[in-house]
């Protein structure tokens, strides 16, 4: 049971050229994986020239290697300021001619250094129906608030955390016996459906803006 808005047809999502995606991820990378799958099965006319991760033991690194994607570790612990990390990220993405930046579970706050280098081209996914439950532990926040419906949101990133124009959302029910694990799993199923679609949607917008 879910509600997705808006669900687009493959025809509506067709891109006239290949969108180059620079992915940033901190953890497991299941969203990174579905992006690669969507590209492989031609749902998304894209390529991922580079994956940046910040935690040395992040599982996403192995997924990247499995998909033959170049991976770079930029460990935030090695940078004095958030801006310094973002500057390094910008340099990597510019060197790879990236069209869109995809934050696929990037657990760092981004600064204007990144956002101004790629204006309206940084996409984030968040496990709640924004503007509800911003910030960390969004799934736990929804359980604590005892809401009956939550979900996920793909949006353009802005300086304010988990805020910005919404591309797509999907809603899921919360059941009496849900734990944060069962609820997060239900939300992630929907994330995996809408993320490639929302990326295609934004790519279409930037290609026609040019
Ligand atoms: C997702 O739930 C996403 O909404 C949040 O971080 C999680 C990343 O999951 N920002 P994964 O690493 O893609 O599996």
């Amino acid at each position: 049971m879910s509600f997705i808005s808006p669900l687009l047809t493959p025809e509506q999502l067709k891109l006239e050229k290949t969108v180059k995606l620079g992915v940033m991820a901190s953890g497991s990378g299941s969203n990174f994986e579905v992006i690669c799958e969507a590209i492989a099965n031609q749902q998304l006319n894209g390529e991922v020239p580079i994956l940046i991760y910040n935690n040395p033991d992040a599982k996403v690194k192995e997924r990247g290697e499995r998909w033959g994607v170049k991976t770079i570790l930029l460990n935030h612990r090695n940078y004095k300021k958030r801006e310094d990390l973002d500057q390094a990220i910008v340099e990597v993405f510019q060197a790879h001619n990236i069209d869109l930046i995809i934050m696929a579970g990037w657990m760092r706050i981004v600064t204007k250094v990144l956002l101004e280098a790629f204006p309206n081209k940084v996409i984030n996914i968040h496990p709640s129906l924004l503007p509800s439950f911003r910030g960390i532990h969004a799934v736990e926040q929804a359980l604590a608030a005892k809401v009956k419906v939550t979900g996920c949101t793909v949006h353009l990133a802005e300086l304010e955390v988990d805020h910005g124009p919404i591309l797509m959302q999907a809603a899921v029910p919360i059941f009496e016996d849900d734990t944060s694990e069962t609820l997060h799993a239900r939300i992630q199923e929907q994330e995996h459906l809408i993320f490639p679609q929302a990326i295609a949607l934004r790519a279409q917008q930037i290609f026609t803006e040019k």
Side-chain angles (χ1 to χ4, degrees):
M1 209 196 322
S2 68
F3 178 77
I4 299 179
S5 168
L7 193 56
L8 303 173
T9 64
E11 203 51 43
Q12 288 171 311
L13 291 169
K14 256 198 188 131
L15 297 178
E16 76 223 25
K17 61 175 187 167
T18 305
V19 61
K20 289 190 179 185
L21 305 173
V23 179
M24 301 158 67
S26 299
S28 153
S30 68
N31 280 287
F32 163 77
E33 183 107 25
V34 294
I35 293 166
C36 293
E37 280 167 6
I39 292 171
N41 67 26
Q42 297 179 357
Q43 182 198 344
L44 175 63
N45 180 3
E47 57 180 275
V48 183
I50 187 76
L51 161 71
I52 293 176
Y53 64 105
N54 65 308
N55 289 318
D57 54 359
K59 198 173 149 201
V60 71
K61 173 188 161 56
E62 289 157 39
R63 296 195 201 247
E65 285 166 358
R66 220 176 334 108
W67 280 96
V69 170
K70 184 169 157 192
T71 62
I72 295 188
L73 170 66
L74 294 181
N75 189 333
H76 60 277
R77 299 160 190 88
N78 297 335
Y79 298 85
K80 273 203 189 127
K81 293 184 295 173
R82 292 186 194 281
E83 286 79 2
D84 298 342
L85 170 65
D86 282 1
Q87 185 54 39
I89 294 170
V90 166
E91 284 165 21
V92 169
F93 284 153
Q94 282 175 343
H96 289 82
N97 292 315
I98 290 308
D99 296 310
L100 280 178
I101 296 178
I102 310 300
M103 299 204 287
W106 180 254
M107 301 306 287
R108 308 294 306 164
I109 292 172
V110 296
T111 69
K112 65 180 185 175
V113 171
L114 182 76
L115 297 174
E116 285 178 4
F118 289 89
N120 298 318
K121 290 181 178 161
V122 182
I123 297 180
N124 185 41
I125 187 159
H126 183 73
S128 77
L129 289 175
L130 292 175
S132 291
F133 312 128
R134 294 156 58 183
I136 55 166
H137 306 312
V139 178
E140 289 79 359
Q141 288 184 53
L143 284 172
K146 300 197 185 303
V147 292
K148 302 294 182 195
V149 172
T150 185
C152 50
T153 304
V154 183
H155 67 100
L156 296 184
E158 290 187 350
L159 263 188
E160 212 177 315
V161 173
D162 299 325
H163 176 88
I166 290 172
L167 292 166
M168 283 187 80
Q169 289 185 307
V172 301
I174 300 182
F175 299 125
E176 285 293 322
D177 58 352
D178 263 331
T179 62
S180 57
E181 287 77 23
T182 58
L183 180 55
H184 196 200
R186 191 172 311 121
I187 292 170
Q188 283 220 299
E189 266 179 46
Q190 300 305 313
E191 291 188 340
H192 297 164
L193 280 179
I194 67 170
F195 210 6
Q197 286 224 353
I199 292 167
L201 189 64
R202 184 62 192 139
Q204 224 174 37
Q205 293 168 353
I206 62 164
F207 287 158
T208 47
E209 273 163 15
K210 267 178 192 167

